[in-house]
């Protein structure tokens, strides 16, 4: 009989210990409610005992919680419709108000994050949502953390994940970016043309001091073009080269060998840039003038009027019929 009582007592004690034993993990804190009233002591991590029928232990997770905020659609301050989603990182710092003051602190933080995100969308412009997210994250964190302090919750960080734009706005932004790139390319090209013109002006000034350099440069250009194995080669004939050849002729011949036609053509080349070959009348007049010696009359077959017309180069005027 005694043995049976001892066995029954041990069995009841084991059941009581199993019902009263609780284990609190390292990242948790335990709140004990005795008959619905919170005890002042907070159970730390480890093994603890409670009264099974009188007390109730509620564990609170103290880890950082990652809470995704669903995408919220709103209109920015510059009247653009966008969809923005975010993520909130928060943790419980005081388990007592997190359980006593708010029914479900996770749901409360989620609703506060959604309303704060919509408010941020309405106060911001599209450019701020796309390029100035750090400032918006700080403002969103402050808006969520202010009421969450009374709940024993602190917000560690808030990040805007994605900003969805309408297709028309995407195309407009693409055209804007393309125009901006085109403007930069044109400015760079204009700067390059300006620098190249300055260098060309310096090269031309230096070549003008040495006319032989122009001919060498021309030959170098011809040689570089000939390396491409072209069947047709178009060679320009610059006016400066004519000037150089004219100077060389004046230095060597002195101006006496080549006839009056050659002198007239050479003198007209640097002025007009072309050789005038239609000077037969003036050349014949000069030859007749050289043939007539001073003190001798002109040939009888050529009257003075004809000689004068040949010298001046004017067309013969029609004579009156009375003289004929």
């Amino acid at each position: 009989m005694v043995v049976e009582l001892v066995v029954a007592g041990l069995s009841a004690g084991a059941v009581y210990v199993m019902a009263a034993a609780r284990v609190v993990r390292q990242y948790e804190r335990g709140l004990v409610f005795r008959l619905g009233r919170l005890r002042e002591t907070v159970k730390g991590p480890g093994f603890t005992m409670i009264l099974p029928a009188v007390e109730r232990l509620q564990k609170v997770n103290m880890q950082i919680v990652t809470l995704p905020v669903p995408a919220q659609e709103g209109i920015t301050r510059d009247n653009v419709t966008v969809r923005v989603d975010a993520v909130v990182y928060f943790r419980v710092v005081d388990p007592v108000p997190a359980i006593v003051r708010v029914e479900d602190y996770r749901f409360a933080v989620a609703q506060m994050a959604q309303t704060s995100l919509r408010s941020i969308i309405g106060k911001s412009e599209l450019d701020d949502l796309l390029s100035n997210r750090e400032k918006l994250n700080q403002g969103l964190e402050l808006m969520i953390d202010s009421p969450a302090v009374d709940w024993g919750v602190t917000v560690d960080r808030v990040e805007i994940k994605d900003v969805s734009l309408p297709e028309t706005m995407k195309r407009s932004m693409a055209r804007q970016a393309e125009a901006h790139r085109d403007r930069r390319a044109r400015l760079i090209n204009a700067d390059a043309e300006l620098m190249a013109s300055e260098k060309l002006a310096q090269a031309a000034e230096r070549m003008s001091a040495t006319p032989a350099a122009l001919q060498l440069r021309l030959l170098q250009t011809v040689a570089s073009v000939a390396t491409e194995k072209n069947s047709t080669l178009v060679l320009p004939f610059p006016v400066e080269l004519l000037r150089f050849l004219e100077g060389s002729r004046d230095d060597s011949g002195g101006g006496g060998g080549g006839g009056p036609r050659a002198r007239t053509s050479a003198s007209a080349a640097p002025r007009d840039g072309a050789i005038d070959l239609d000077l037969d009348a003036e050349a014949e007049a000069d030859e007749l003038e050289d043939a007539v010696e001073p003190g001798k009359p002109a040939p009888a077959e050529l009257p003075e009027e004809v000689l004068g017309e040949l010298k001046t180069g004017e067309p013969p005027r029609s004579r009156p019929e009375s003289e004929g």
Side-chain angles (χ1 to χ4, degrees), residues 139-159:
L140 188 59
E141 178 181 350
L142 183 61
M143 293 178 65
I144 300 174
D145 190 53
S146 297
V149 173
D150 297 333
W151 305 336
V153 178
T154 180
V155 178
D156 290 341
R157 191 174 182 86
V158 180
E159 291 289 342

Side-chain angles (χ1 to χ4, degrees), residues 21 26 30 42 50 72 75 97 131 140 181 183 191 202 226 231 237-238 243 257 284 286:
Q26 181 67 35
V42 178
I50 61 171
Q72 302 297 314
I75 301 176
S131 61
L140 188 59
R181 294 290 182 182
R183 182 179 64 87
D191 292 339
Q202 295 177 3
S231 59
F237 198 71
R243 294 177 181 175
E284 292 176 1
D286 292 338

Side-chain angles (χ1 to χ4, degrees), residues 7-217:
V7 172
L10 292 176
S11 299
V15 172
Y16 177 80
V17 170
M18 293 177 61
R22 296 290 185 275
V23 177
V24 180
R25 297 183 180 89
Q26 181 67 35
Y27 53 87
E28 294 177 340
R29 296 295 181 270
L31 300 180
V32 179
F33 291 89
R34 179 176 294 179
L35 298 178
R37 188 168 186 174
L38 178 66
R39 296 186 61 182
E40 297 181 356
T41 59
V42 178
K43 299 295 182 179
F47 180 80
T48 185
M49 298 286 293
I50 61 171
L51 299 176
V54 179
E55 295 180 346
R56 180 175 63 88
L57 179 67
Q58 185 171 354
K59 301 177 182 180
V60 181
N61 193 341
M62 306 295 289
Q63 290 177 320
I64 295 177
V65 180
T66 302
L67 179 64
V69 181
Q72 302 297 314
E73 185 173 356
I75 301 176
T76 61
R77 193 166 60 181
D78 50 354
N79 299 325
V80 179
T81 303
V82 295
R83 290 177 59 88
V84 182
D85 56 351
V87 58
V88 181
Y89 300 91
F90 70 95
R91 59 188 178 89
V92 178
V93 294
D94 191 356
V96 175
I99 299 299
V100 176
R101 293 185 180 181
V102 63
E103 180 181 2
D104 187 355
Y105 65 91
R106 288 174 178 263
F107 182 75
V109 172
Q111 295 300 314
M112 181 58 63
Q114 294 180 20
T115 55
S116 300
L117 184 57
R118 290 183 180 179
S119 178
I120 284 292
I121 293 174
K123 294 179 181 179
S124 305
E125 294 183 356
L126 180 61
D127 294 338
D128 296 333
L129 289 175
L130 296 177
S131 61
N132 196 11
R133 293 190 180 183
E134 289 295 333
K135 185 177 179 180
L136 297 180
N137 292 337
Q138 293 177 3
L140 188 59
E141 178 181 350
L142 183 61
M143 293 178 65
I144 300 174
D145 190 53
S146 297
V149 173
D150 297 333
W151 305 336
V153 178
T154 180
V155 178
D156 290 341
R157 191 174 182 86
V158 180
E159 291 289 342
I160 295 177
K161 294 173 61 177
D162 188 21
V163 178
S164 300
L165 301 176
E167 293 297 329
T168 56
M169 182 58 62
K170 290 181 180 180
R171 289 193 293 268
S172 300
M173 294 178 65
R175 289 194 299 267
Q176 179 184 0
E178 184 178 358
H180 182 67
R181 294 290 182 182
D182 190 14
R183 182 179 64 87
R184 290 180 57 185
R186 291 187 179 182
L187 289 176
I188 294 173
N189 191 16
D191 292 339
E193 292 291 339
L194 178 60
M195 296 176 63
S197 63
E198 292 177 355
K199 295 297 182 181
L200 287 175
Q202 295 177 3
E205 183 179 359
R206 182 167 296 183
M207 285 184 179
S208 62
T210 308
L214 180 61
Q215 186 177 6
L216 293 177
R217 181 58 181 170

Side-chain angles (χ1 to χ4, degrees), residues 207 212-224 235-238 241:
M207 285 184 179
L214 180 61
Q215 186 177 6
L216 293 177
R217 181 58 181 170
L218 179 60
L219 295 176
Q220 184 180 3
T221 304
V222 173
S224 61
L235 178 63
F237 198 71
L241 187 58

